[in-house]
Amino acid sequence: MYSVILDEPELEFGGAARHIDPRFGITNYGPADLGAADAPRAIRVGLVGPADQLEGLRRWLERCREPIAAKDEQYPHLFPEFPGCDADRGLHTTLVFSDRNTRAISSRDLRAIETAGQPAALTRAVSIYAEEIKALADENRVDVLLVARPEQLLETTRRSPGRPDEAGASSQDASDAPPPGQFANFHDLLKARLLNLRQPIQIIRRSTWDEATRPPEGHSRQDEASRAWNLHVALYYKAGGVPWRLLRSPTDLTTCYVGIAFYRSDDGKALNTSVAQVFNERGDGVIVRGGPARISRTDRQPHLARADARALLLQALDAYRREHHTAPARIVLHKTSALTGEETGGFQDAADERFIDTLEMSWVTSSEGAATFRPGDAPPLRGTLAVLGERELALYVTGSIEFYRTYPGMYIPRPIGIRPTIAARDPRELAAEVLALTKMNWNQTRLDGRLPVTLRTANQVKSVLRFCPPDQAVATRYAHYM
């Protein structure tokens, strides 16, 4: 057993420039696809929501064309200013609005949401919004739809007794197979209803842009510059842009990253069905919905039969080829539950069938029982790696950050666990890649991602797909789920 501290991984931005922090990289160098022919130089934004929100939201977005001051001077790297979003700064794009591309939810419909009992209010809100969003999307004049959430709708509608809500649930391991009747929310249900649209949607709360509105109970509010950063990066990605990339050496093998999680359908009838999230070095995601899974009597975790594991990875590789017109030289597979012999064999069968020599498989846990300590009161540094055994690693993906000169979290950080099926690589190399993958998150621009993008996105995808019937056609691009 030993421990080391890994360097903070660098990311690639415009002009192949590098930086460890997404916000400073974009401010100094622009997005990774700056100058590319397909980079979104103007993003046509459709607005849908209550009339009393749309005007204020639009004014705030107009304000974000100019710089927004940093929160304070004590931690300038943790709370930098937002440089503004325009053609000559920041993401080097402009948000374009028009009255024609705005749809207001009527006061009558809002009253219907407010007076309906739960869970009817949620169902009614989703139906009302979906109708307006589809009408605007069908006109095909926008790239992204920005949806102002109705204030009349309560935060939650249904939840299994004793289960935490989404903000506190680990969504890992055995909890990947929740019982029917679990937590449901406006975000997941609306996205499930609209997965057939060409345009992604971005849902926003009034408290994001309106300082006079308090965030919902249990939610905190970031400083204004941070909120502007997170929203604009998400819109840029959803419009087809590449805010940043993983840093790759010319000698590195072309890699396909696959995350596998499990979910139960909302009615509880479908046994855990697997979902894979496929990523390459750019961060492009392709959704693959797999076949049935089962709960093991041995460890009470969801697992795949050998044939289903093979079929799932073959689907993922087919999707990768359709997207990138080539096969990867290497596959890195992360799973939210322990890998069984059948699963390992099935995944290897698929790799062998497609003549892929390098297949790395790991069970990545949401938390790890081991802990490390530093002298004094400061939490361990992000990037602290404890090698507990040949196939047992504990990695701090949250913790104190030297670049920020502080710990940005609110709670005591805990490491995640990495359990490779075989010790094919040096533990430091394996953990450094997982650490880099925590930074490929278009919903968060700060260095405090809890999971690698492979599993974070697979978990987000399953939260939406559990409301989709098996025969429903679903979007294959990750931007529709985030």
Side-chain angles (χ1 to χ4, degrees):
M1 175 179 173
Y2 64 91
S3 63
V4 296
I5 298 175
L6 305 174
D7 292 333
E8 186 65 55
E10 291 184 311
L11 298 169
E12 181 183 321
F13 299 92
R18 304 176 181 184
H19 203 285
I20 63 171
D21 187 284
R23 298 166 299 181
F24 284 85
I26 289 173
T27 298
N28 295 335
Y29 311 113
D33 58 351
L34 182 64
D38 56 351
R41 293 175 175 82
I43 302 173
R44 299 171 300 168
V45 179
L47 297 175
V48 178
D52 67 335
Q53 289 199 47
L54 294 181
E55 183 58 32
L57 173 57
R58 189 163 165 173
R59 283 198 304 269
W60 185 71
L61 292 171
E62 293 283 357
R63 163 174 157 72
C64 290
R65 296 186 191 277
E66 300 297 326
I68 295 177
K71 177 181 178 180
D72 57 44
E73 298 180 356
Q74 185 176 3
Y75 299 108
H77 287 173
L78 179 58
F79 301 111
E81 77 165 7
F82 178 66
C85 182
D86 215 334
D88 60 348
R89 70 192 68 173
L91 290 162
H92 291 261
T93 190
T94 56
L95 303 186
V96 181
F97 316 99
S98 72
D99 294 338
R100 191 180 179 190
N101 294 333
T102 300
R103 306 278 294 203
I105 305 297
S106 70
S107 57
R108 177 174 55 83
D109 284 334
L110 292 172
R111 285 195 303 271
I113 295 171
E114 188 173 15
T115 57
Q118 300 295 334
L122 175 61
T123 304
R124 183 165 296 186
V126 168
S127 296
I128 290 170
Y129 269 73
E131 183 177 345
E132 296 292 344
I133 292 169
K134 286 179 181 178
L136 182 54
D138 287 345
E139 295 172 358
N140 202 28
R141 295 193 304 266
V142 298
D143 303 305
V144 182
L145 290 141
L146 189 55
V147 179
R149 189 185 188 278
E151 294 179 279
Q152 292 81 358
L153 189 63
L154 296 179
E155 182 67 12
T156 64
T157 59
R158 65 183 187 271
R159 183 170 24 173
S160 297
R163 288 188 60 81
D165 62 22
E166 285 189 342
S170 66
S171 65
Q172 290 282 326
D173 310 326
S175 65
D176 279 327
Q182 69 173 53
F183 178 93
N185 65 21
F186 180 73
H187 175 280
D188 296 345
L189 286 172
L190 185 62
K191 297 229 170 186
R193 181 76 68 89
L194 299 173
L195 284 181
N196 61 336
L197 296 185
R198 180 186 67 83
Q199 305 93 333
I201 67 174
Q202 174 73 30
I203 300 173
I204 187 170
R205 297 181 185 277
R206 183 167 190 151
S207 57
T208 299
W209 56 267
D210 184 1
E211 296 292 336
T213 300
R214 297 180 61 184
E217 185 178 355
H219 291 252
S220 59
R221 175 162 48 195
Q222 293 179 308
D223 61 287
E224 187 180 21
S226 294
R227 299 196 306 270
W229 267 115
N230 293 337
L231 176 64
H232 285 78
V233 165
L235 291 175
Y236 189 78
Y237 175 73
K238 290 184 179 185
V242 184
W244 57 83
R245 296 189 181 97
L246 285 178
L247 192 64
R248 308 293 294 179
S249 166
T251 60
D252 289 341
L253 297 177
T254 303
T255 303
C256 172
Y257 297 99
V258 181
I260 299 178
F262 300 90
Y263 65 96
R264 191 181 293 276
S265 63
D266 188 50
D267 60 10
K269 295 179 180 179
L271 193 61
N272 302 50
T273 303
S274 57
V275 56
Q277 178 66 37
V278 185
F279 269 81
N280 70 351
E281 297 93 325
R282 287 165 50 96
D284 297 328
V286 182
I287 307 305
V288 179
R289 184 159 57 170
R294 64 179 185 274
I295 296 293
S296 168
R297 294 182 178 180
T298 304
D299 61 8
R300 306 305 301 166
Q301 293 182 346
H303 295 292
L304 294 166
R306 182 167 186 151
D308 292 327
R310 170 186 168 275
L312 178 60
L313 188 52
L314 287 175
Q315 281 183 273
L317 292 171
D318 288 342
Y320 187 96
R321 178 174 286 278
R322 286 193 300 270
E323 184 74 13
H324 306 295
H325 309 291
T326 186
R330 171 176 171 256
I331 299 171
V332 173
L333 187 149
H334 295 154
K335 188 168 172 281
T336 59
S337 58
L339 284 141
T340 65
E342 281 201 23
E343 289 172 325
T344 301
F347 293 137
Q348 190 64 63
D349 290 342
D352 291 343
E353 189 171 325
R354 297 299 170 84
F355 303 101
I356 297 172
D357 294 329
T358 304
L359 170 62
E360 299 177 16
M361 297 173 277
S362 296
W363 168 26
V364 180
T365 71
S366 62
S367 62
E368 170 62 50
T372 62
F373 299 91
R374 295 171 63 195
D377 298 328
L381 288 166
R382 170 177 151 90
T384 299
L385 170 67
V387 181
L388 308 175
E390 187 180 32
R391 301 184 189 180
E392 187 174 1
L393 314 178
L395 174 65
Y396 278 86
V397 292
T398 57
S400 299
I401 298 174
E402 288 187 329
F403 184 65
Y404 295 161
R405 297 186 180 278
T406 188
Y407 167 52
M410 297 177 62
Y411 306 102
I412 297 174
R414 302 290 299 178
I416 62 173
I418 305 173
R419 307 283 189 273
T421 56
I422 55 174
R425 279 199 294 165
D426 182 278
R428 280 178 278 199
E429 294 180 7
L430 191 155
E433 186 169 53
V434 170
L435 189 64
L437 289 170
T438 66
K439 304 175 84 161
M440 302 297 287
N441 176 9
W442 315 125
N443 274 329
Q444 177 62 273
T445 55
R446 215 161 64 177
L447 305 180
D448 55 4
R450 177 67 188 165
L451 289 173
V453 70
T454 45
L455 297 185
R456 176 182 173 83
T457 53
N459 284 331
Q460 285 185 294
V461 168
K462 74 178 186 183
S463 295
V464 175
L465 285 186
R466 65 189 176 94
F467 297 110
C468 300
D471 58 348
Q472 177 182 338
V474 299
T476 58
R477 187 166 170 242
Y478 168 56
H480 290 267
Y481 299 82
M482 62 180 277

